[in-house]
Amino acid sequence: QGAAPTIPFLVAFGVLGIVMSVIIVGSVISGAVGTGLRRIGILKAIGFTPREVVRAYVAQALIPAGVGIALGVVLGNLLAVPLLDDTQQAYGTATLSVAWWVDVVVPAGALLVVAIAAFVPALRAGRLRTVEAIAVGRAPRTGRGQWAHRAAGRLPLPRAVTYGLAGPFAHPVRTLAMLLAVAFGTIAATFAVGLTSSLDAVNAVQDPENRSAVTVFTGGPSIAGGEHIPAPGTKEPEPADPAKVSAAIKAQEGTASYYGMGQQDGTVSGVSGTVRTTLYQGDSTRGAHAMISGHWLTGAGQVVVPGQFLETTGTEVGDTVRVTVGKETATLRIVGQGFDTSDDVLEIQADLADFPATRPQEFLVDVKPGVSAVTYAEKLAAAVEPLGADARANSPSERDNFILVLNTMAALLTLMLVSVAGLGVLNSVVLDTRERVHDLGVCKALGMSPRQTVSLVLASVAGIGVLGGLVGVPAGYALHGFVLPVMGHAAGTELPKSVLDVYDTPQLLLLGLAGLAIALLGALLPAGWAAGARTATALRTE
């Protein structure tokens, strides 16, 4: 159950990875067909049937894919070992390992995906006419993209840049594949940023009591419900008088605000068994739980409940329920649905004034700006210890290990997907650069410098990067908005707005540049190769 929220998150990244794999494989085989037209014509001329040509190009994809899949299965099993070992130790189960059928089904499915992705461009190769393939060779169709060159030439930009901007229009299919690769890389980056921000927000709101600087313990049962057991032969110390402790806190120099909190098991009509009831004294806004609907406690006669409570009792925000704590019973109005982080324990929050027999077991104190919490706690402890209480400074809330694991997984998976997107751009730009090597040689002979050559190649992907970012950021935003509620549902709770609304405008604008960064980084290597090619060598190459 604890791992259930990870399933939608992993499925989302898995689907992104598979779609990108299909795009990259299709792009690679399509590029191989486009640059190997003359070879295909020769194969057909010496007797290869269309079916044999298709099989040859599908096999050309399956061989390296088989190596990559085998390596992936080995690495996947190795990465699973530490996680399964931790699970085994945590739950005391028998030895855990990856199921054998996973190591069979996943490679078979991956090979099938590669075969399907390669089949469409391979089918195009099989249908090519022999004479046309030999005659055309690898030259692009005459006139393709000329309108783009004329339009780009009117822009007030250097000629090398406008030449590069118009280049992608000569190969629309290859450009579309590159655009999709960049877009999905941007989707992954946008989704990952939102996911990690949401997980950090969950970590921040799940323990509202930790927001206070100092905790004062009045003695007696702890807030966690455990009883203090005195040492053998000693008497249970009497709990401190909450009124005297409250007065001491109020009188302590440096106090900004404070509120009391007590906790007892109670019963609620319509709910079987006991319900953990947390009662607040004073202004508890600082320790308010994140709200999914309604509002936090503002006075007596109110109760905040989790979504599980509403489902169990069939009630809604605005309804009333009868709550019994000890020997006291009160009819309370449900004023809000709180974010439930209490695992399987059903917990409600109410005002202590409705159950005056319950004593505050803790006081949560905030100090004034510039006041050291540690120093304040030491002085306050000296003041309340004679009363039978104690004061301690709260340490900063640490990040939950589970959230840390999810954030690490999201970062690794995003890095992998962005790398794949960059490699897709690299493949397309290499093919395009090799096809245009003669044109580049002519440009170099006319005086194009290496720097201008780099500008040309980078400009050929810049527009694709910008468009990929414009497409990817909204799609990643939408994916985050879809997956996070599903993760919350898997955990048995809805999510507050503070967890869902984590993007801001500057952040989205920066993420939009991720598409441009992916495209430029992917094209950097072939741009350097093109700039370093000798003019004479380029002119002789066909």
Side-chain angles (χ1 to χ4, degrees):
Q1 184 178 2
T6 65
I7 305 303
F9 146 78
L10 290 174
V11 168
F13 274 107
V15 170
L16 285 174
I18 291 173
V19 171
M20 288 185 66
S21 297
V22 171
I23 293 169
I24 300 303
V25 171
S27 174
V28 169
I29 301 303
S30 179
V33 172
T35 56
L37 291 178
R38 184 175 179 84
R39 182 185 295 273
I40 294 170
I42 293 173
L43 291 176
K44 289 196 165 194
I46 62 175
F48 271 65
T49 65
R51 183 174 298 179
E52 288 173 329
V53 172
V54 172
R55 284 205 301 264
Y57 275 92
V58 172
Q60 197 175 35
L62 290 177
I63 292 172
V67 176
I69 289 168
L71 186 62
V73 169
V74 172
L75 290 175
N77 278 270
L78 291 176
L79 288 171
V81 168
L83 178 62
L84 294 177
D85 284 344
D86 289 344
T87 306
Q88 178 183 333
Q89 294 175 13
Y91 295 102
T93 61
T95 302
L96 298 175
S97 61
V98 178
W100 65 268
W101 61 266
V102 174
D103 290 337
V104 174
V105 172
V106 170
L111 282 173
L112 181 62
V113 168
V114 173
I116 294 173
F119 180 75
V120 175
L123 193 62
R124 172 176 166 245
R127 290 177 175 176
L128 283 172
R129 293 174 56 193
T130 306
V131 176
E132 179 184 358
I134 294 176
V136 173
R138 67 179 183 182
R141 293 181 184 177
T142 304
R144 178 182 284 181
Q146 289 300 316
W147 64 271
H149 281 278
R150 288 194 294 269
R154 298 189 181 96
L155 297 175
L157 296 171
R159 188 68 186 100
V161 174
T162 59
Y163 185 68
L165 290 174
F169 294 93
H171 295 284
V173 175
R174 188 181 301 168
T175 300
L176 178 62
M178 198 188 320
L179 173 63
L180 291 175
V182 172
F184 274 96
T186 308
I187 290 172
T190 304
F191 174 58
V193 169
L195 178 66
T196 53
S197 298
S198 292
L199 292 175
D200 289 339
V202 169
N203 190 63
V205 302
Q206 65 182 358
D207 295 316
E209 295 83 11
N210 290 340
R211 300 173 195 159
S212 298
V214 176
T215 300
V216 180
F217 304 93
T218 63
S222 69
I223 223 61
E227 297 288 344
H228 173 72
I229 301 176
T234 62
K235 186 180 179 180
E236 173 71 35
E238 289 292 328
D241 184 352
K244 294 181 179 179
V245 174
S246 177
I249 296 172
K250 186 175 182 180
Q252 181 66 37
E253 184 180 358
T255 302
S257 64
Y258 68 98
Y259 63 93
M261 188 167 67
Q263 198 172 77
Q264 286 194 25
D265 287 336
T267 58
V268 180
S269 57
V271 179
S272 60
T274 59
V275 176
R276 181 188 295 168
T277 307
T278 303
L279 304 174
Y280 296 86
Q281 183 185 67
D283 184 6
S284 59
T285 306
R286 177 71 174 170
H289 288 225
M291 302 304 298
I292 296 172
S293 62
H295 61 82
W296 182 245
L297 304 171
T298 57
Q302 301 176 359
V303 63
V304 171
V305 301
Q308 183 183 355
F309 181 95
L310 299 178
E311 294 178 7
T312 302
T313 58
T315 55
E316 298 178 352
V317 174
D319 294 342
T320 58
V321 292
R322 288 178 61 82
V323 180
T324 300
V325 177
K327 296 181 180 180
E328 298 174 308
T329 300
T331 300
L332 307 178
R333 183 173 300 279
I334 301 174
V335 295
Q337 178 186 349
F339 179 47
D340 182 19
T341 59
S342 56
D343 300 326
D344 294 333
V345 180
L346 196 60
E347 181 180 356
I348 62 174
Q349 290 82 33
D351 197 292
L352 194 141
D354 294 309
F355 307 94
T358 302
R359 299 163 59 96
Q361 297 149 1
E362 292 180 1
F363 285 94
L364 288 305
V365 185
D366 281 310
V367 297
K368 293 180 179 179
V371 176
S372 169
V374 175
T375 304
Y376 175 92
E378 291 174 352
K379 293 180 179 179
L380 181 60
V384 299
E385 279 178 359
L387 303 175
D390 189 20
R392 299 176 189 173
N394 294 330
S395 58
S397 180
E398 296 181 359
R399 182 175 294 185
D400 184 80
N401 288 336
F402 181 67
I403 291 177
L404 184 62
V405 168
L406 286 183
N407 282 342
T408 303
M409 291 171 65
L412 289 173
L413 291 171
T414 303
L415 181 62
M416 291 166 63
L417 292 178
V418 170
S419 298
V420 170
L423 289 173
V425 174
L426 173 67
N427 167 72
S428 297
V429 177
V430 165
L431 289 174
D432 190 59
T433 304
R434 290 181 66 85
E435 282 185 3
R436 295 197 297 173
V437 66
H438 190 273
D439 293 344
L440 291 174
V442 172
C443 292
K444 283 174 172 283
L446 293 174
M448 180 180 285
S449 66
R451 181 176 297 179
Q452 289 175 315
T453 305
V454 171
S455 300
L456 185 153
V457 176
L458 294 182
S460 68
V461 299
I464 295 172
V466 171
L467 186 58
L470 292 175
V471 173
V473 170
Y477 182 93
L479 182 63
H480 172 269
F482 173 77
V483 172
L484 261 294
V486 176
M487 291 176 65
H489 180 73
T493 181
E494 295 181 47
L495 298 175
K497 289 184 178 180
S498 60
V499 173
L500 295 175
D501 299 337
V502 293
Y503 294 101
D504 53 38
T505 302
Q507 192 177 48
L508 292 174
L509 292 175
L510 286 175
L511 286 169
L513 297 176
L516 180 61
I518 292 171
L520 294 179
L521 290 174
L524 204 56
L525 190 62
W529 172 79
R534 296 175 56 193
T535 304
T537 304
L539 288 173
R540 287 197 302 266
T541 303
E542 285 289 351

